[in-house]
């Protein structure tokens, strides 16, 4: 992992590494599989950010490529889970299946500490900055974050699954949940309370609302639950988790983000109501003028002029 920080960006670092890890995952012993998945997890979470895209792209490409030696595709889930199940390792293999699903999905979606969400990419020279809902808070990132969170929460240890190997995996997964919460909190704070204290004019307000709901209703509760339940288990193995998430979004910013679309709809409804009132007033004025002309009273200038013009046209005919 440390070597990834000293290798140039254009060097293909991960193909040989991933092929070697896949060879270990394809072996029969569940401990070897678990350790290989943990190494892949460390590469994805703590590897150099300059190689994050390389890791994601190489892993996706390899999962679509056939391994001629084993006659299946690389990182095939069924091949990975092959092995002898005994009463002694049944619980460990159950955890291995959940952890493998999480690591492979997380490694293909996000790199580092979820840097894709934490901050938008730098704007191109001479171009104005794009809204966050088109860069780091896109809809596809929201869907991927939901799935990653669910898979991460499934990695909590159950009865009969605790040992040194599985505890180290859970520790890394719990830190991932904290990093995801911090990344989303940082992105929402930047977008909702940025320059002028208002979101970008072109931001998708409905999408921002969904991000705020995901953060408050799913991400924070799941992360706190995982920290609380995993800490008691990991303490036995001398592994310690942070007690707090750290990053937070001010309550007023969350409320602003969750009612942004409603404010727009209210403004549109108000404009429509004003137009309707103006139209009703014009119709009422016209009705009064017609009533006055019927009673023989003096007509307004506009109505009198229209009457004279119609009489002149009749005389010409």
């Amino acid at each position: 992992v440390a070597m990834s920080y000293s290798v140039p960006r254009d060097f293909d670092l991960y193909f040989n590494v991933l092929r070697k890890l896949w060879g270990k995952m394809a072996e029969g012993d569940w401990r070897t599989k678990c350790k290989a998945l943990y190494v892949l997890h460390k590469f994805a979470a703590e590897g150099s950010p300059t190689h994050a895209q390389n890791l994601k792209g190489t892993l996706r490409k390899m999962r679509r490529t056939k391994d001629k030696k084993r006659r299946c595709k690389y990182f095939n889930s069924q091949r990975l889970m092959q092995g002898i199940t005994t009463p002694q390792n049944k619980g460990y293999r159950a955890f291995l299946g959940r952890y493998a699903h999480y690591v492979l999905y997380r490694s293909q979606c996000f790199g580092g500490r979820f840097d894709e969400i934490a901050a938008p990419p730098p704007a191109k020279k001479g171009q104005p900055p794009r809204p966050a809902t088109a860069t780091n808070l896109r809809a596809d990132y929201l869907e991927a974050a939901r799935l990653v969170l669910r898979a991460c929460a499934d990695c909590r240890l159950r009865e009969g699954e605790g040992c040194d190997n599985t505890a180290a995996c859970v520790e890394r997964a719990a830190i991932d949940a904290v990093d995801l919460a911090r990344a989303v909190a940082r992105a929402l704070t930047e977008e909702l309370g940025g320059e002028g204290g208002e979101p970008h004019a072109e931001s998708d307000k409905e999408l921002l609302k969904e991000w705020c709901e995901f953060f408050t209703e799913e991400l924070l509760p799941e992360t706190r639950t995982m920290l609380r339940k995993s800490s008691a288990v990991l303490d036995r193995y001398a592994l310690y988790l942070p007690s707090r998430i750290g990053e937070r979004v001010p309550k007023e910013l969350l409320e602003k983000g969750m009612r942004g679309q409603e404010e727009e709809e209210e403004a549109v409804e108000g404009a429509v109501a004003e137009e309707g009132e103006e139209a009703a007033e014009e119709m009422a004025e016209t009705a009064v003028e017609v009533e006055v002309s019927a009673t023989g009273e003096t007509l307004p200038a506009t109505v009198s002029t229209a009457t004279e013009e119609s009489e002149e046209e009749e005389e010409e005919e």
Side-chain angles (χ1 to χ4, degrees):
V1 174
M3 186 182 66
S4 65
Y5 285 85
S6 59
V7 175
R9 180 192 295 268
D10 56 352
F11 182 76
D12 188 1
L13 171 67
Y14 286 114
F15 178 76
N16 291 327
V17 172
L18 291 176
R19 187 171 60 178
K20 184 66 175 178
L21 288 175
W22 165 239
K24 293 298 181 181
M25 293 178 196
E27 294 185 7
D29 188 59
W30 74 268
R31 299 177 187 85
T32 305
K33 298 175 185 287
C34 192
K35 291 176 182 178
L37 284 167
Y38 182 77
V39 172
L40 174 58
H41 194 176
K42 293 283 281 187
F43 267 115
E46 300 180 8
S48 171
T50 59
H51 289 279
Q53 291 297 330
N54 182 15
L55 174 60
K56 292 191 295 184
T58 303
L59 182 57
R60 290 171 185 166
K61 184 178 179 180
M62 291 184 71
R63 295 203 76 183
R64 297 192 298 267
T65 305
K66 187 174 181 179
D67 179 6
K68 296 180 181 179
K69 182 178 180 180
R70 298 169 182 86
R71 298 181 181 180
C72 65
K73 293 182 179 180
Y74 286 96
F75 301 98
N76 179 272
S77 299
Q78 293 181 351
R79 183 69 178 84
L80 192 153
M81 290 304 298
Q82 285 183 2
I84 300 174
T85 301
T86 64
Q88 290 76 22
N89 67 14
K90 183 178 179 180
Y92 303 133
R93 288 181 59 82
F95 170 81
L96 178 68
R98 304 195 307 274
Y99 183 62
H101 170 68
Y102 169 67
V103 171
L104 292 176
Y105 190 77
R106 183 250 195 267
S107 301
Q108 292 178 91
C109 292
F110 300 106
R113 297 188 171 183
F114 301 90
D115 300 323
E116 295 88 345
I117 295 176
K124 294 182 179 180
K125 187 175 181 180
Q127 295 184 0
R130 301 170 63 194
T133 51
T135 54
N136 58 317
L137 291 178
R138 303 198 312 248
D140 56 335
Y141 283 167
L142 175 60
E143 186 61 27
R146 279 199 175 104
L147 296 176
V148 165
L149 178 63
R150 292 170 190 165
C152 182
D154 285 340
C155 290
R156 289 197 295 264
L157 289 177
R158 300 172 185 174
E159 186 177 356
E161 296 179 353
C163 70
D164 291 334
N165 292 330
T166 57
C169 297
V170 172
E171 179 202 25
R172 182 62 258 179
I175 294 174
D176 271 355
V178 174
D179 289 340
L180 178 58
R182 289 174 177 173
V184 175
R186 196 175 303 123
L188 287 176
T189 302
E190 180 70 22
E191 176 64 11
L192 296 173
E195 295 184 7
E198 293 294 333
H200 194 285
E202 298 179 2
S203 288
D204 186 342
K205 301 299 189 300
E206 185 63 29
L207 183 55
L208 275 179
K209 180 180 178 182
E210 291 181 15
W211 273 104
C212 292
E213 291 174 347
F214 166 68
F215 180 75
T216 56
E217 299 174 7
E218 299 178 47
L219 183 54
L220 283 183
E222 283 289 353
T223 302
R224 288 168 178 162
T225 300
M226 186 161 192
L227 290 178
R228 185 178 68 254
K229 292 187 175 182
S230 299
S231 293
V233 178
L234 297 183
D235 286 350
R236 307 171 198 163
Y237 304 95
L239 298 173
Y240 305 102
L241 296 175
S243 58
R244 295 183 180 180
I245 296 175
E247 295 279 346
R248 57 184 294 273
V249 183
K251 186 177 180 180
E252 58 272 14
L253 291 184
L254 280 175
E255 292 176 351
K256 180 170 66 174
M258 297 180 73
R259 68 169 182 265
Q261 185 69 14
E262 296 176 0
E263 289 181 350
E264 283 190 358
E265 293 175 355
E266 289 175 0
V268 172
E269 291 176 357
V272 172
E274 289 180 0
E275 292 178 359
E277 291 176 359
E278 292 177 359
E281 290 177 359
E282 292 178 359
M283 293 178 63
E285 291 176 359
T286 305
V288 170
E289 292 173 358
V290 172
E291 184 178 353
V292 169
S293 62
T295 56
E297 296 181 6
T298 305
L299 295 175
T302 56
V303 179
S304 301
T305 304
T307 306
E308 291 174 359
E309 290 178 355
S310 61
E311 290 177 354
E312 291 177 358
E313 289 176 358
E314 290 177 359
E315 289 178 359
E316 290 177 358
E317 291 176 357

